[in-house]
Amino acid sequence: MKNHKVIGFNVSQNPVPEDSAPEEPNANEKIVIRFFKDNYLPVGNPENMEFKTTTELLYELREMVYLSVSAMNKILTGLEYQIQFLEGAPHWVLYSKNKPAE
């Protein structure tokens, strides 16, 4: 009888539970979350719509906190902001809460 090797995926001995609690945000992430909750909405009036790249947002917050691009993207995704591609570049769609009335 020949020895047969099974080809496929192995089941992990220590699977991650699906209902595990999400990681608690650090101090910088909490500041950024509060900033977005105080100033922007993930959906809103088209007149208040703004498009900003992750780099622009990091630059805007540079004097308050330091975050990596991936940390900022994780926060905005968690807050349910959407991405739209403008001229091939990804921009976050933000709806300003503080847009001055005309």
Side-chain angles (χ1 to χ4, degrees):
M1 185 170 193
K2 294 181 180 179
N3 290 338
H4 294 281
K5 292 187 178 182
V6 178
I7 298 174
F9 295 99
N10 293 328
V11 177
S12 173
Q13 296 296 327
N14 298 320
V16 177
E18 290 182 27
D19 61 345
S20 64
E23 194 173 303
E24 188 69 27
N26 66 33
N28 283 343
E29 292 170 341
K30 287 179 183 179
I31 291 169
V32 172
I33 290 168
R34 182 166 180 199
F35 172 81
F36 281 102
K37 286 185 176 182
D38 288 350
N39 294 291
Y40 297 104
L41 295 167
V43 293
N45 188 340
E47 293 176 4
N48 297 340
M49 186 185 299
E50 298 179 22
F51 299 97
K52 294 189 180 188
T53 65
T54 302
T55 305
E56 290 171 329
L57 293 168
L58 289 170
Y59 183 78
E60 189 175 328
L61 296 169
R62 73 191 179 283
E63 293 183 16
M64 278 197 296
V65 297
Y66 173 78
L67 281 181
S68 67
V69 170
S70 62
M72 177 66 83
N73 291 340
K74 180 180 170 186
I75 289 169
L76 291 169
T77 302
L79 293 173
E80 299 183 358
Y81 287 93
Q82 301 298 310
I83 292 178
Q84 188 168 4
F85 286 84
L86 302 174
E87 298 180 7
H91 288 71
W92 292 101
V93 180
L94 309 168
Y95 295 87
S96 177
K97 288 183 176 181
N98 304 320
K99 187 123 180 175
E102 295 179 11

